[in-house]
Amino acid sequence: MSSNSHAPLPVDHPAQPEKPLQQSKSVVVTVSDPRGLHLRSGRDVVRTASQFQAQITAANLSRNSNAVDLKSILQLMQLQARQGHDLQLAASGPDADAAIEALCSLF
Amino acid sequence: MPDGKRPSNVRSRGWNEHRNDRQLLFCPVGESFVIGLVIVSHSAKLAAGVRELAAQMAGDQVGISQAGGLSDDGEQLGTDAFRILSAIEEVWCKDGVLLLMDLGSSVMSAELALEMLPEQQRQNCLLSNAPLVEGAIVAALHASLGESLQAVNAVAEAALSTPKLSNTG
């Protein structure tokens, strides 16, 4: 029909393929370690986060900080999270749910 | 062209594009690299301390050597190209060696050490512009994740623009 005059393969056709990629999940965790979120525990967080394709951020609600990239050890240290601080973890991507689930157990 | 075919074509193209982007940026799934790290400092004690920190981040999965001071007893401060050269050889990997220096003549001695290496080895060595402590910590962690020499250096050098204090807003 007249639709033949349009490009045969629309470049922007996000509706179907994007759906699984837009999975997003957010939780609040409380730091339980008496020494807070330190280098070694931060290392384990980055290691775990790096196994997922999702983009993952964390914000320290107790310090009212901006969200930082959870795959960066230096940004993670910027949170300066002490014991009892609440961190908001947010993930978006195809495996966001699994990423959040894996990360929650580390705090 | 039947209408039913369009979505499936588009879907597979879209998925592949995303997949490739993400693999490049976040997870080198198929390819894993093994690189070595060399810590260079005027002070043997500083080099040893930074190496200790880096080793804790890498968890025994990355070869890390140190070249600090002018003597084995750590009494004389300074940098020596031959000590750096043997530190490079100690952790030599075919995927490359990243050198992290404190400053000043550490950089010049590291350059000299590279000049003493055979051409083929020299091509796989990289002097990092990263700050020593932060750079070593980041590099060790990302090297242990199997990232390439260039990728590890890129995240280590990003430490130059990452403030230590929180970005409380």
Side-chain angles (χ1 to χ4, degrees), chain A residues 44-54 56 70-71 99 103:
Chain A
D44 297 335
V45 169
V46 173
R47 278 240 171 95
T48 303
S50 299
Q51 294 168 2
F52 297 93
Q53 292 183 25
I56 312 170
L70 211 65
K71 294 180 185 178
L103 287 164

Side-chain angles (χ1 to χ4, degrees), chain A residues 7-10 13 16-17, chain B residues 1-14:
Chain A
L9 282 177
H13 195 283
Q16 290 204 341
Chain B
M1 174 197 271
D3 271 355
K5 276 214 164 178
R6 266 190 217 163
S8 75
N9 284 345
V10 171
R11 189 189 295 128
S12 77
R13 269 180 17 147

Side-chain angles (χ1 to χ4, degrees), chain A residues 8-10 13 16 18 21 39-40 43 46-47 50 53 55 63-66 68 71 73-74 78 80, chain B residues 6 10-11 15 18 22 26 56-58 137-138 141-142 144-145 159 162-169:
Chain A
L9 282 177
H13 195 283
Q16 290 204 341
E18 284 291 324
L21 295 174
L39 254 188
R40 232 173 321 130
R43 170 198 66 190
V46 173
R47 278 240 171 95
S50 299
Q53 292 183 25
Q55 282 190 297
R63 286 189 187 272
N64 196 25
S65 78
N66 297 327
V68 302
K71 294 180 185 178
I73 183 69
L74 295 182
Q78 283 181 328
Q80 295 172 18
Chain B
R6 266 190 217 163
V10 171
R11 189 189 295 128
W15 168 244
H18 277 288
R22 277 156 204 276
F26 302 119
Q56 188 170 69
M57 302 310 286
I137 285 171
V138 171
L141 178 53
H142 286 265
S144 77
L145 297 174
T162 308
K164 208 182 303 284
L165 300 180
S166 84
N167 51 354
T168 303

